[in-house]
Amino acid sequence: MWGMARIDEWKPVMAMLVFDLISAVTTALIKAALEEGLDRLVLITLRQLVATVFLSPIAFFKERNTRPKLTLEILVYLFFSAALGAALSQYTFFYGLQYTTATFAITFTNLAPVLTFLIAVLLRVESLNMKNKAGAATIIGTLMSFAGVMLLTLYKGVALTHQAEPSGQHAEIAAAESGKKSWTLGTLALLANCLCFSFWLLLQSKLTKKYPALYSSTAYMFLISSLQGGGLTAAIQRRASVWVLTKPVEIVTVLYTGILGSGVGYVLMTWCVEKRGPVFTSAFIPIIQIMVAIIDFFFLHENIYLGSVLGSILMILGLYILLWGKSRDASATVPPAKEEEDKEKQIKS
């Protein structure tokens, strides 16, 4: 019984580590596909369609007897979940990724847990007690994370690595990335991505309670998101040729990001939100950065800059100080009755 309890405790951790690995490969593939000229909205639409096709049969057979009835309230939740968690979140991330580097983009997403916590406090989903050490640590961690963000945004610094300069089309993209205007626009887009992701995590914590059919809700979200992306693409892009995938990297990116990045990844993340909450789930984002940095340097041949390293250190330290404060605060506020109940359960086990 003790062994099973320990395994159950580690399941969300293992799920988020798998999600991190999937996300790291997804980020590298998307960066490569965007540099080859794949349209951002087309990528979002096709990716969500692939994810819908992948998840729909699973949702139908696995939850056909337990799936709650769709109501207007649930449809509204699903609409905004699709807009925030899929369409807007992905578009802003792709935009930021195209004008910065994969390592920088993933580094910046470390801000998401901090924003998630602050928004949760403002909406009274999470509590903040500033009279003890845990509350002070939370404040210090938040300030350190924002200092890291400012450093990332305002200071690029010298290149710590010396990759060979790309030529041709890649040289033009590299020149655009090094431009201050493009870098700032990319940073603002990544900030918008963090906000969308934070609101999506909080929205998912409510949606999973109202509609506890994990596979079905995720499939519905992707279907609605693909309709949103497709409608916007049709309104902006009049050329039918943008929908045609001709290069191998484009086809692989759409299939991989649709099946694993969206289909498997979002299910894992939503399941973790349901089991351990939005703050726990967003806490695993920094691990993606290490994986992406390795892929970014060895496979995409991107340089690593001093500002990114210093900003990353500040952000990650601040994030884990914040999470330490949150865990101490949570353990200190467990009701005595709940502690006795948990002890009785452990004794029985």
Side-chain angles (χ1 to χ4, degrees):
M1 293 294 290
W2 280 100
M4 291 299 294
R6 288 181 179 275
I7 291 172
D8 288 338
E9 288 178 3
W10 279 95
K11 279 182 180 178
V13 176
M14 297 303 297
M16 285 309 300
L17 290 176
V18 173
F19 171 77
D20 288 347
L21 180 59
I22 292 172
S23 299
V25 179
T26 297
T27 303
L29 281 174
I30 290 170
K31 176 70 174 177
L34 291 176
E35 289 185 352
E36 291 293 334
L38 181 60
D39 185 83
R40 291 186 290 269
L41 285 172
V42 171
L43 173 56
I44 292 170
T45 304
L46 295 180
R47 172 182 177 175
Q48 308 304 53
L49 276 176
V50 171
T52 304
V53 172
F54 172 74
L55 277 179
S56 294
I58 300 173
F60 178 77
F61 289 107
K62 192 173 182 62
E63 298 174 338
R64 56 183 172 180
N65 297 323
T66 59
R67 184 169 43 244
K69 184 180 178 181
L70 272 178
T71 62
L72 180 60
E73 182 187 14
I74 299 301
L75 284 173
V76 171
Y77 270 94
L78 287 170
F79 178 85
F80 285 104
S81 178
L84 289 171
L88 286 174
S89 179
Q90 289 185 32
Y91 184 81
T92 51
F93 181 76
F94 293 170
Y95 190 94
L97 181 62
Q98 191 166 8
Y99 289 105
T100 58
T101 64
T103 303
F104 179 89
I106 288 297
T107 301
F108 205 90
T109 56
N110 291 328
L111 182 62
V114 180
L115 290 176
T116 302
F117 172 71
L118 290 177
I119 295 168
V121 169
L122 291 174
L123 297 177
R124 297 185 178 179
V125 177
E126 300 275 350
S127 60
L128 177 61
N129 185 2
M130 293 182 287
K131 296 180 181 179
N132 54 26
K133 290 182 180 180
T138 304
I139 296 298
I140 293 170
T142 302
L143 293 175
M144 284 183 66
S145 295
F146 275 108
V149 170
M150 295 302 295
L151 190 59
L152 280 170
T153 306
L154 302 176
Y155 179 64
K156 186 176 180 181
V158 297
L160 300 179
T161 56
H162 301 283
Q163 298 281 14
E165 291 294 326
S167 59
Q169 182 183 359
H170 293 282
E172 296 177 5
I173 296 172
E177 288 178 349
S178 63
K180 186 176 180 181
K181 184 178 178 180
S182 297
W183 193 270
T184 304
L185 286 174
T187 303
L188 291 174
L190 292 171
L191 177 60
N193 166 258
C194 291
L195 285 170
C196 290
F197 185 71
S198 298
F199 278 112
W200 178 81
L201 282 173
L202 295 168
L203 183 64
Q204 282 300 100
S205 64
K206 288 181 175 286
L207 178 59
T208 51
K209 295 175 183 176
K210 292 179 176 290
Y211 194 78
L214 178 62
Y215 296 99
S216 298
S217 65
T218 309
Y220 279 129
M221 182 187 75
F222 288 140
L223 176 61
I224 295 170
S225 175
S226 63
L227 294 174
Q228 292 169 341
L232 188 59
T233 307
I236 296 175
Q237 296 284 1
R238 300 294 182 180
R239 296 177 294 108
S241 59
V242 297
W243 295 96
V244 181
L245 305 180
T246 56
K247 300 174 182 177
V249 68
E250 295 177 345
I251 299 170
V252 171
T253 299
V254 168
L255 292 176
Y256 181 91
T257 57
I259 295 172
L260 291 175
S262 291
V264 176
Y266 271 74
V267 167
L268 288 173
M269 190 162 48
T270 304
W271 180 78
C272 287
V273 169
E274 181 183 6
K275 294 295 181 183
R276 300 293 293 271
V279 176
F280 170 88
T281 304
S282 58
F284 280 81
I285 291 175
I287 299 174
I288 306 175
Q289 179 184 341
I290 300 170
M291 301 177 183
V292 170
I294 295 170
I295 297 172
D296 205 8
F297 180 75
F298 288 103
F299 297 99
L300 297 182
H301 307 295
E302 297 279 6
N303 282 318
I304 298 173
Y305 294 94
L306 178 62
S308 297
V309 173
L310 295 177
S312 300
I313 293 171
L314 268 178
M315 287 185 71
I316 292 174
L317 281 177
L319 172 62
Y320 284 109
I321 290 173
L322 182 150
L323 292 173
W324 177 84
K326 276 294 300 170
S327 63
R328 288 293 297 270
D329 189 49
S331 61
T333 55
V334 174
K338 178 66 176 175
E339 288 184 345
E340 291 298 326
E341 184 182 342
D342 291 341
K343 287 179 181 177
E344 288 178 6
K345 287 181 180 179
Q346 289 177 4
I347 291 169
K348 288 179 182 178
S349 298

